[in-house]
């Protein structure tokens, strides 16, 4: 970390600042220029609050040279992390498609969808039992009953399960769920992240609607700092001014994250665009950009289940998407 | 709610849609135009998922006429809500200044700040014991010990306390805290909101960094739906592309929220701007815009407490701000 | 267009509003509900200012059923437009890669790059002679001399030219340039758009940094309303809060625009990401998403031309990108 | 400017970079640390393209210590600039209200509004003759005829005129207009800015919808670099995700700009909020935040002129706003 002091800073002020840095266990390398003094900080600067430092009256600019995330950082862990989900590997060349309905609605629904997506090549089953909804009056999920139905579908198909956890007090209910999903709205629910750091289950961490990639990595760091290195990152659209799509899928996140971190990165084309007709092109694009996987909403009958069709593919549409995704990956192999 | 159907929709499709609406307890008023069919929905449309409806292949546009929030809605509750915080009233013409340090650090600090801000006219004391931090390696607050110190400061000064709760499992620790603050990052932690709906304590609900005012009101609705009507809304800056300030203070939120809801609305000029030198002008602006209060960070010695000075006023600066805020309010009375 | 009137609107107010609509040549279809009055407007509503209408005290909501753009609208022109650039077709299945340096620097540079990109499969040459720069002190381009050098490169290679025009007074200089580019900062320079509507040359219209797709189409409409239907749309990244990339490439714009308009849509992976190492994955993604072309910065020696390397590929890198783009397109054909 | 080189950079690479800097007339101060090499650049760094520099493979981070704007920079010009508009001073303690209709519609209208706003304390008259409209089919202004009507209103009332120029070819028409306004959409129309730098008339420069304050100052720098120092800056709302207001008024821009530049800063509460009912509170807030002036839309009969009422005050409403703005300023004097 480098702090540039303002023109006019006295040697006493400079020394006082250096003493404070040294009290934090850092060593200072002072470079006195004609107009500015530059202090290079050596040591563990992860505890330095850069915003607070920048606001000191004698400080002109602060530049962080090293990233604030460590365990998630590719610089210290060059090999890509391969997360093992009950035998299904993701990351480091292993590409997986997670598919299933937004919410678990009934035994028939979840088992039918599970069988269909498995037949088309999906290797994990998603399904929400706890649903974060903007309105307190909207359907909030089947909760424990939904988890039970997911487990039946797992038994039938052998597909590992991915389901969202919103409250750490529900953890026991997820004992047989294979991947715990942290939703976008909980990406900075730090208490939840800390607790998940004590699990050994893989965590699917979704980027918040208005969170930077650095913040996403810092949230992964919360989980990893607790001892759980099995984190899968997921880009699912960010909030912008554009309204034709529900959110704006930031697909550049794939190469950027692959450069910054060794963790696997997957794309959610369903929530990001909000409309099923954009899911296919964005799935092909995600595969072409080098994503390690996709998480796609599929419903067995979105046409009749009027209230669930917005962003879900039919099993038939999903089959085509999965097939073409494979072709894109082969073309770039 | 109005649904406009696409040109080419068959009468069968239209009737099928109406039947579905009717199965949800709504009645339909169909208006058949030359090019479009318009369905007006009457009844409790709060359960209708507008995004899902819009995605149906036969639907061109959906317009919500009534707001999705009810208990927070000024249309159904014209009188402004006056929240009583242990005898201190806020809202409906009652203006209050909440002041105190970002984090509780020590007995000396919190008591000195509490006395100083009280002398300058603050009527509630803020102080964080649980701090949401982007980095797992940053200081996370004194937790229970911090709450204890806040209670001592309350005893000394009589000021009611405002402090942030991040985890519902900590609720017992907050038994004597007067206002529970929900931070920006937890604005859509729906499980937390639901639990706070079962309290009777006033809740200070901060707008999320990338949340619309409608979403803020929906989160208030979560608390109110549980039976707790004592919600104070707080604008604290939104995330934009501008970087000279930490966030962008959306001060228009004051008149907009006063129009939409009966709940009190306060402004946080410290977190929104991120720099103490902008706190004074934004405090005057907030008072002039008609806010019901301010929440301001004050530290007794930001100069020496090097790592906490960024956005905190000194007690002397706070005294001037409080005085001028009163003058602005008098000028507009 | 549908206007919903507020509860409590008098019949006189409603009739007065209808008369005003009728004075604009529209006919009104009034549907009187129990709580709300709905006015359906039939006719050419493109002149109605929706924001102004919404602000009337008796109006609750306004919903535009038809799009404000017509000539660019796919509803009225189902077949994709194929733009003919001096014999090179783009759109409607014809995919083209435009390549070349950010700025024209010298005869050697532009001819070497032109030959190299042609050999790798580029079918048009880009090169800036007039450069919009944030700072008045930065290099502004070689102007007329740059155009002259581009024309030499065209003569050598036969590649049609794409170059940015910033000022309509420069139009004569562009007489032999094949495609006139309107840069992102000029997307709403309406006087420039109007004048380009009187040309017959193809126009490459870049989306503004903070413009919606609807606004992009309205700007295309300005050109088309003047009689020039040869418009190629280009997504080049939008401004968001994310900073690891220069802008955020909104790749969903490809399927959305293909749905809304018949005009060709190309992607600029160089300016959107800002870093050459992200150009390859975003080029593959763009091809997979169904774009009609790419515009890519290539420099013959970015390593030595230190100050031009940020987002430019070397000819060797470009060759690989062009090859793999073809493979992605074949995989999805 | 400081460039931090990556760990592993060879001395040859470092020296090659330094030579390149020196070829630009800069001198380099190299500080070799254990892990990183830091190069401090001394001299005129305004020509260095920071993004390009950052993209070099050996460069880790670049930090600009000095601002890229000079003539607009308060560091080099401490005294606030007072712009003299035909005898009416603005800036440096001189506060002015510019008022008038969005568009000039007729002689009766503009003269009635001019008289009314003058009586209420406005000191300049605004009125658009050239209107930038999103749609080519919308009313584009009365052009030369509108300018003529404005001049009549100036004759009647003595109020200096503020009107928007969109095209440098129209400059002759504005010979007797006192202040030339550059609209938000033209803030980076650099050719227009350059030409206005050759005028001696005051320029009212509006911030673009998605432009940072730094970019606003760089655009002011374009005008000032041409020799015209009479620039008035105007914040008029930025584009965010919030939709209850047309744009989000960034009022913190007032203290931030006053710190960065000596130029006067005014606020447009009409365009930023988009609704007349929010103009009053935002005007008071702007005055309280320390703005040097306001630009407010006033129409003599927004109720009957159905299509122009959205954001315009009536003369009666304006009178109250102007009166209370004065009271706020007195309270903070």
């Amino acid at each position: 970390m480098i702090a540039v002091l303002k023109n006019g800073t006295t040697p006493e002020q400079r020394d006082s600042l250096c003493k404070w840095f040294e009290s934090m266990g850092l060593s200072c390398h002072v470079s006195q220029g004609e107009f500015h003094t530059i202090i290079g900080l050596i040591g563990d600067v992860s505890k330095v609050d850069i915003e607070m430092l920048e606001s000191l009256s004698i400080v002109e600019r602060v530049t962080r040279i090293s990233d604030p995330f460590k365990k998630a950082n590719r610089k210290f862990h060059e090999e890509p992390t391969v997360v093992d989900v009950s035998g299904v590997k993701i990351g480091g060349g292993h590409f997986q498609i997670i598919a299933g309905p937004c919410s678990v609605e009934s035994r028939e629904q979840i088992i039918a969808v599970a069988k269909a997506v498995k037949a088309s090549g999906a290797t994990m089953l998603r399904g929400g039992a706890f649903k974060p909804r903007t309105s307190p009056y909207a359907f909030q999920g089947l909760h424990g009953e939904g988890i039970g139905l997911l487990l039946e579908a797992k038994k039938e198909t052998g597909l590992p399960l991915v389901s969202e956890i919103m409250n750490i007090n529900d953890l026991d209910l997820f004992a047989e769920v294979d991947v715990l999903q942290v939703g976008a709205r909980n990406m900075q629910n730090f208490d939840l992240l800390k607790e998940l750091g004590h699990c050994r289950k893989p965590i699917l961490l979704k980027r918040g609607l208005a969170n930077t990639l650095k913040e996403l990595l810092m949230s992964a760091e919360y989980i990893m700092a607790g001892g759980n290195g099995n984190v899968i990152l997921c880009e699912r659209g960010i909030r912008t001014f554009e309204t034709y799509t529900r959110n704006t899928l930031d697909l550049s996140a794939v190469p950027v994250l692959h450069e910054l971190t060794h963790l696997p990165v997957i794309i959610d084309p369903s929530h990001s665009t909000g409309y099923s007709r954009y899911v296919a092109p964005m799935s092909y694009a995600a595969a072409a950009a080098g994503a390690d996987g996709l998480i796609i909403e599929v419903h067995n009958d979105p046409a009749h289940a009027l209230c669930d069709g917005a962003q879900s593919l039919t099993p038939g549409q999903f089959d085509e998407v999965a097939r073409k995704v494979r072709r894109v990956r082969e073309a770039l192999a």
Side-chain angles (χ1 to χ4, degrees), chain A:
Chain A
M1 185 175 286
I2 290 170
V4 180
L5 304 191
K6 282 192 181 151
N7 199 343
T9 302
T10 64
E12 291 71 34
Q13 289 174 311
R14 183 198 61 202
D15 292 349
S16 156
L17 185 63
C18 284
K19 268 188 202 136
W20 177 66
F21 284 133
E22 285 158 7
S23 76
M24 297 170 72
L26 301 168
S27 44
C28 293
H29 176 84
V30 176
S31 163
Q32 188 72 46
E34 195 177 351
F35 295 112
H36 290 97
T37 304
I38 298 170
I39 302 181
L41 294 173
I42 297 157
D44 178 7
V45 294
S46 61
K47 282 166 200 161
V48 180
D49 189 324
I50 196 166
E51 281 192 4
M52 289 179 173
L53 188 56
E54 264 181 334
S55 76
L56 296 180
S57 60
I58 59 168
V59 174
E60 178 84 35
R61 289 277 193 294
V62 180
T63 301
R64 197 188 274 283
I65 297 173
S66 51
D67 299 309
F69 46 96
K70 298 175 183 180
K71 291 180 188 292
N73 200 325
R74 191 140 204 171
K75 282 186 193 155
F76 311 126
H77 187 304
E78 280 198 21
E79 282 306 296
T81 286
V82 178
V83 175
D84 185 315
V85 179
S86 311
V88 177
K89 291 185 164 66
I90 185 164
H94 301 274
F95 181 93
Q96 305 299 343
I97 303 183
I98 306 165
C102 181
S103 294
V104 182
E105 295 168 20
S106 69
R107 173 179 293 108
E108 294 65 36
Q109 173 231 27
I110 190 67
I111 289 178
V113 173
K115 286 182 175 171
V117 300
K118 186 183 181 187
S120 298
T123 47
M124 298 187 221
L125 177 66
R126 58 150 294 155
F130 293 85
K131 300 299 302 172
R133 304 301 301 269
T134 307
S135 167
Y137 310 119
F139 175 58
Q140 313 266 328
L142 292 180
H143 296 181
E145 187 192 340
I147 299 282
L149 297 175
L150 281 170
L151 293 176
E152 291 193 46
K154 179 182 177 178
K155 214 173 181 178
E156 285 273 345
T157 59
L159 291 177
L161 299 177
V162 180
S163 198
E164 178 167 354
I165 186 165
M166 290 171 63
N167 188 329
I168 201 62
N169 298 334
D170 296 330
L171 194 56
D172 287 349
L173 280 171
F174 286 77
E176 294 176 71
V177 172
D178 303 87
V179 178
L180 303 183
Q181 177 180 315
V182 177
R185 291 183 185 80
N186 276 320
M187 193 201 89
Q188 293 194 319
N189 182 338
F190 300 120
D191 275 39
L192 179 59
L193 300 177
K194 278 183 210 171
E195 291 293 334
L196 296 177
H198 304 316
C199 292
R200 287 301 164 269
K201 278 183 196 295
I203 308 297
L204 176 55
L205 179 64
K206 290 194 148 190
R207 180 184 187 183
L209 261 77
N211 286 111
T212 61
L213 295 174
K214 187 182 285 184
E215 288 168 341
L216 173 63
L217 291 170
M218 291 308 295
S219 286
E221 191 80 13
Y222 257 97
I223 299 168
M224 299 174 88
N228 186 354
N230 296 308
V231 180
I232 303 163
L233 304 173
C234 179
E235 157 64 25
R236 44 79 71 222
I238 58 174
R239 184 161 268 182
T240 69
F241 54 83
E242 177 56 58
T243 56
Y244 274 120
T245 44
R246 184 198 291 158
N247 295 123
T248 297
L249 178 61
D250 177 13
L251 205 52
S252 318
V254 174
V256 173
L257 286 172
H258 277 165
E259 185 177 76
L260 296 171
T261 186
H262 48 87
L263 298 172
V265 179
I266 70 170
I267 293 293
D268 179 342
S270 305
H271 282 87
S272 51
T273 64
Y275 296 96
S276 61
R277 61 192 184 274
Y278 305 139
V279 169
M282 289 304 104
S283 295
Y284 310 148
D292 298 300
L294 290 164
I295 178 165
I296 297 180
E297 287 198 5
V298 179
H299 195 287
N300 55 342
D301 198 355
H304 282 93
L306 269 171
C307 192
D308 200 30
Q311 67 201 27
S312 293
L313 300 184
T314 60
Q317 292 168 328
F318 174 72
D319 189 68
E320 185 185 348
V321 168
R323 203 159 22 85
K324 289 195 178 170
V325 160
R326 282 190 293 271
R327 290 224 299 261
V328 169
R329 284 183 45 78
E330 284 159 18
L332 291 170

